[in-house]
Amino acid sequence: MPLYRDDAIVLRTHKLGEADRIVTFLTREHGKVRAVGRGVRRTSSRFGARLEPFMVVDVQLHTGRSLDTVTQVETVGPYARAICEDYALYTSGAAMLEAADRLVAAEHEPAVQQYWLLAGALRALSERAHAPGLVLDSYLLRALAVAGWAASFTECARCGEPGPHHAFSVGTGGAVCSRCRPPGSTAPAPETFALLGALLGGDWTTADASEPRHRTEASGLVAAYSQYYLERTLRSLRMIEREA
């Protein structure tokens, strides 16, 4: 029977029977894969701890009819402990995993850019490179852009008129000019628009220098934008909102 090997991020797990676990991976070359880890819940398991959410691993899989089977696992990015030990890191990371699971819906379809975006975001979280909320918002904006829902923070999302503009419409796709502004649009501060653009473009100098009130406003817009285009509420975001 065929075997294959790939780098993978553990998105979520479910118990199966008394000692097994179903693991959902986002792999580099094979997209989303669901596989059974036999006996990984036993204390004697050789690689049970490597098959936890947030871990980046080199995994060998045995192809099955409906579920593959994990046969070997080596740690590539041991991010789980660092992320799970801190509530802010954990809630931000959980929202990322949930979003990735939604964005890569079909199994065994390559999603290389989504893989690298998530792997980089988890590494940044574990290393505390930036504030957790900034890492989360940057990841969500960039992952949605890769999926085809890139937000505009300078040109008008409807007519393309160069900005800066003063209104934001989730349903229209971002910043809107005064002529295209639909009812219900918000009016973020100019600094919030600048922060959103920095998060989408990976300008961490600007993002790290932003003020708390602009981060809070940006996070609200990113959450609304994400949930609109994913067409479902990200449950993990509620934990972050309660924390705030």
Side-chain angles (χ1 to χ4, degrees), residues 20-41:
D20 302 339
R21 184 181 290 153
I22 297 176
V23 184
T24 302
F25 297 101
L26 176 59
T27 69
R28 186 181 63 183
E29 302 293 339
H30 297 83
K32 189 157 70 174
V33 173
R34 291 195 309 143
V36 177
R38 304 289 184 192
V40 298
R41 288 162 53 207

Side-chain angles (χ1 to χ4, degrees), residues 70-218:
V70 177
T71 59
Q72 291 182 15
V73 186
E74 298 295 335
T75 301
V76 175
Y79 305 141
R81 175 174 291 184
I83 292 174
C84 291
E85 286 178 345
D86 183 277
Y87 183 76
L89 298 179
Y90 174 78
T91 53
S92 293
M96 291 179 194
L97 297 187
E98 186 180 354
D101 198 9
R102 298 273 178 81
L103 286 166
V104 185
E107 295 184 24
H108 293 281
E109 290 189 6
V112 178
Q113 287 181 285
Q114 294 289 356
Y115 171 85
W116 285 118
L117 274 175
L118 182 59
L122 293 177
R123 182 177 65 251
L125 274 187
S126 69
E127 295 175 351
R128 300 174 184 261
H130 312 283
L134 293 179
V135 177
L136 169 61
D137 290 340
S138 178
Y139 166 75
L140 290 174
L141 289 173
R142 298 173 81 175
L144 285 165
V146 167
W149 298 301
S152 174
F153 301 120
T154 51
E155 295 83 8
C156 175
R158 176 169 288 174
C159 71
E161 180 180 339
H165 300 297
H166 306 292
F168 184 92
S169 170
V170 169
T172 305
V176 285
C177 65
S178 57
R179 293 191 306 274
C180 296
R181 178 177 182 172
S185 300
T186 59
E191 294 87 350
T192 301
F193 270 122
L195 172 57
L196 289 166
L199 293 173
L200 178 59
D203 177 3
W204 287 105
T205 300
T206 298
D208 290 337
S210 60
E211 296 186 12
R213 67 179 184 274
H214 300 133
R215 295 185 185 187
T216 299
E217 188 174 36

